[in-house]
Amino acid sequence: MPAESHVDVLVVGAGPAGVMCANALAAAGIQVKIVDQRSSKVKSGQADGIQPRTIEVLQSYGLAERLLKEGCQMHLCAFYNPGSDGVLTRTGRAPDITAPTARYPFEVLLNQGAVESIFIDSMTENGLTVDRPVVPASIELSNDSEQLADPLSYAVKVTLDHLDTPGKQEIVHARYVVGCDGAHSWMRKTLGITMDGEQTDYIWGVVDIVADTDFPDVRNRSAIHSTSGSCMIIPREGDKVRFYIQLSDSDVLDPITGRLDKNRMSPEKLLGVARKILHPYKVHEPKMYDWWTIYIIGQRVASRFSEHERIFIAGDACHTHSPKAGQGMNASMNDTHNLAWKLVQVIRGRAGISLLKTYELERRKYAQDLIEFDRKFSTLFSGKPRTKGNDDGVSHEQFLSAFQTGGGFTSGIGVHYAPSTITNGIHQQCAPHLIIGERMPPQIFVRAADARPYEIQDLLPSDTRFKLLFFVGYLTEERVRELDTLSNRLRGPSCFLQKYGYPTKDTAQSMFSIITVMSGDKEDVEFTRVPAMLRPHWSNVLLDDTDVTGRLGGGAYKRFGIDPGTVTLVIIRPDGYVGMIAPANALEDVDSYFAAFTFSRTQ
Amino acid sequence: MPAESHVDVLVVGAGPAGVMCANALAAAGIQVKIVDQRSSKVKSGQADGIQPRTIEVLQSYGLAERLLKEGCQMHLCAFYNPGSDGVLTRTGRAPDITAPTARYPFEVLLNQGAVESIFIDSMTENGLTVDRPVVPASIELSNDSEQLADPLSYAVKVTLDHLDTPGKQEIVHARYVVGCDGAHSWMRKTLGITMDGEQTDYIWGVVDIVADTDFPDVRNRSAIHSTSGSCMIIPREGDKVRFYIQLSDSDVLDPITGRLDKNRMSPEKLLGVARKILHPYKVHEPKMYDWWTIYIIGQRVASRFSEHERIFIAGDACHTHSPKAGQGMNASMNDTHNLAWKLVQVIRGRAGISLLKTYELERRKYAQDLIEFDRKFSTLFSGKPRTKGNDDGVSHEQFLSAFQTGGGFTSGIGVHYAPSTITNGIHQQCAPHLIIGERMPPQIFVRAADARPYEIQDLLPSDTRFKLLFFVGYLTEERVRELDTLSNRLRGPSCFLQKYGYPTKDTAQSMFSIITVMSGDKEDVEFTRVPAMLRPHWSNVLLDDTDVTGRLGGGAYKRFGIDPGTVTLVIIRPDGYVGMIAPANALEDVDSYFAAFTFSRTQ
């Protein structure tokens, strides 16, 4: 008889999407099981680039420090094209990241295995490890409508095979299942979800080496269009370098079957192609080849992301695209970053299943935009350069423009979630430059009590709580009286703060956290004048002023377009995105916002 | 028969000076033994403030991160005086740190036990633990002149008592001994070293609590002069606060003996005095008292810091002063930071014993300046405020001026070591604003190869190596030829780089590390043009330009006064202080600099 167990969430697959999901759930105290078919984690190669928004997300889980310690950083992108004499030459350099609000104005390069380890080690601290090598053998969703309607029922039954013990099976009854099982997802196929999109013809090879070369941009991202083909150089951790190289069909396709045949290629051959493209620069034969592969670019998105909001797919299981824009791990991790807090609220019994519908709404739209961008960018990148003999080729200006206009998107900074129950734009005019549906941008404030500078993003951790930012302006006598009135309303039993507040002993499990932002000068404000309701602790009162050096902070009211003559509430979702903004005299709209997806305590 | 052992260095005392010393030596691979009389480390109270320069020093050992994580930060200082109506009122606030080049523009507050733990945990990684409770019973310095002249002889014999096993003794033969055994130093007394200076009459009490108060500057440093006395508030880690309170003789002196009697005081009484001073602000009775003590201010400096450069004293054993300027731990740790690398070079057989003479030269001068400052500042602080009835009292302007002019000194940033064999100012004019004898100031550069911004201080770790900063300016064709010529000279057998270079397999144990600083724009410099001699690795070439955001770095040549039309060598000592500056055409002066204290490899 196979062992049976019950869990809140079963995560299938311990790649970037899976470990992001499991770690976020485990940190919130949710009972999770995570399985993976590999007997150990990836050691090298595979996806590599972590985009600025993803670094911010890792930071919100307390994991960016290690990423930044272990990874390599890419600040500049260099562009090489044939000169008027046809010889490869540098056309220019530009910042690799063009999103002006990026907190981390660079990409981090770190191999997928090391990135996974960051999450796996964090999970271990919460008592969760990956069961491997384990794969699902069958999955069964209850068709009992009552059971499906109960958010806490164990509606999914999954049978798992332990690959290292032939015949060993176990049965897991899960409230929810998340399939993060990659591009060839068993989960997706078993649920009968189709992939929409087309396969293009561009074939690429990748090889990682420690490069001994005279190429002066070997430590920058380099986009090279030569008359012998295209190549992208990406610096890696240590002294390693990755070459992405365009291949021709004859190099790698089996002439009879027409299919990709890895045996026709080798790392030596790949580097040989790179050498031709890089001529006249030299790349010496490396001591060893760290990793290599070949692939055909395909851009596809799953037709749906869930089965009855009980079984979800995420990451490569939902979208495949080229690695050219460096989105692989990023799209995947951000999928489950979006999903995890919603699952937590439902499993805690505080939100209805409908909240989970916003996952597909938000992330499928993003995936579609991603492959649209990838299609354009890949075509430009794979195209021949414009030269004397080839006036139809891709010009540097064309490529640079696509690179820079795509910057908001590729960096992840520009992601904008559409209006929904959790993204309510009715009072956008109260803070016209703080965009509802986008992530809270970085901004330094000082604490009113001690003038210590803090990055606001660091006060908005991904801890499943909604952050209530009260921008209270200048504390005139009149304003203090207004805040006393506001405090009384916030204490009222019909106010969202009380109705949906779920007070818990462990504040990390509470629904809301309050931050108050004053206007004024650090030389004379008094944090003790903020009413107790808006000042649960002295550290929660911020001031929109510079630090003692005058170099950090200040100007937030102006930057966000918030009038310090009013009191404005900004609600940040647990994933760091602006969910709603409201003036203090429209608290009933905030009541409605939470009523739309949250259960009242008294219900 | 007691056990006998041989060590390079015996450190007596595991307070801040002792653990800084032992950790630095152990990290350099020196064989160290460290003993302490306490059976476990301090848990709370005692010294608390870490000054900006000390944070920089901890950072140079890779230890600042934890300090910053665990400690509380003090950015502002508030000043309170009696108003025209005699009622206590805030006169103003000012930055707590007034040294403009401070990398960390604040003080960190962390209890002494936690600071010691940072070092002790780091030592443990190098295999070194503190032997405790152990005290020296006797010490004997060889009087054999031949033995004393040999830097590697075991010239000191120390007998140690194990306090937890009555009668258990051991004998240690040490090359060098460092006594970090506090204000009542056994080592100092045994060596017959006198303390010069006088005891003043001011009596102070200290009490640590979690304060429930309406005082609006409870999270800032607050200097309070009221008609009821003086008080200094220092915020601590967590929500704790420290009160330094002036006491009158009748409160704490035994009327018969005239000596301090701790039994006459209690934490409740201390807080009672603080309450009177703080009136009309309220401090509620705390749930518990974390720590308290009373003391009389005394300012004294040891008449000498060593016995034949074989036995040294450091920290409180050499200087005592009031805690008002927050120098306690700082002076102590900086003593042994100064001494440790010198001991390493001598024990490695690369420098003569005479190098060790610079320890007393540099640190005794500093200690004298410190008590001079402390005497002035304490007098002002302890004095009555100037009020209507007391025109001779201390005015706010007087106090603020002393506070601010003392800022360079109290922050540790302004410490300036006098000319000596290791501090050679003959070519100061090559970089007039980079002061020889002062610490290398923080300055951000980008790496030429990848435009990643780096703080220069982070490239100057306290790893016992001399850092050779070649400021090579713009890489014109002519400059590249000049650098080729310079490279050839640097390769010559009579050049300091070869004579004193001591190549080792472990680069951390080598004598020099090379950093090259170019002028130019990140958009078009090519790090590959720097000759191999000045480019041991791609990461060693820096560029004086801003990062991709334009917000960090740039302007260093101008700031330091270095002409980019010349090639200038800046030598940073292993402790981070500028040791010498020389134009590329005066390499023979650099040869002489090292010849004065370093043994040639061919000697």
Side-chain angles (χ1 to χ4, degrees), chain B residues 252-319:
Chain B
V252 284
L253 294 193
D254 182 309
I256 294 159
T257 66
R259 299 183 65 152
L260 203 62
D261 179 6
K262 205 176 169 184
N263 292 323
R264 290 172 182 272
M265 197 29 84
S266 69
E268 291 81 5
K269 279 190 195 166
L270 275 179
L271 192 61
V273 179
R275 283 196 179 113
K276 272 190 212 151
I277 297 172
L278 280 166
H279 178 83
Y281 297 103
K282 303 219 174 349
V283 183
H284 299 281
E285 189 59 28
K287 283 185 193 144
M288 61 167 287
Y289 289 87
D290 198 59
W291 184 73
W292 73 285
T293 194
I294 53 174
Y295 59 89
I296 298 186
I297 292 176
Q299 289 109 344
R300 296 180 302 163
V301 175
S303 53
R304 56 194 170 89
F305 281 21
S306 103
E307 180 89 354
H308 286 287
E309 280 72 48
R310 284 292 188 165
I311 308 172
F312 300 87
I313 54 174
D316 288 355
C318 312
H319 37 70

Side-chain angles (χ1 to χ4, degrees), chain A residues 20-50:
Chain A
M20 165 66 86
C21 188
N23 176 63
L25 295 171
I30 299 296
Q31 213 192 334
V32 189
K33 185 179 178 78
I34 175 168
V35 301
D36 193 89
Q37 63 176 356
R38 298 166 292 176
S39 40
S40 65
K41 64 179 179 57
V42 197
K43 289 224 168 55
S44 59
Q46 307 229 9
D48 54 1
I50 307 288

Side-chain angles (χ1 to χ4, degrees), chain B residues 361-389:
Chain B
L361 175 83
E362 296 186 330
R363 296 305 297 175
R364 189 158 184 273
K365 170 73 165 55
Y366 164 78
Q368 284 169 325
D369 292 348
L370 167 61
I371 63 162
E372 188 53 42
F373 169 79
D374 185 41
R375 193 174 286 135
K376 271 196 258 170
F377 192 69
S378 288
T379 306
L380 278 178
F381 192 76
S382 305
K384 287 254 176 234
R386 183 173 300 180
T387 52
K388 270 184 187 163

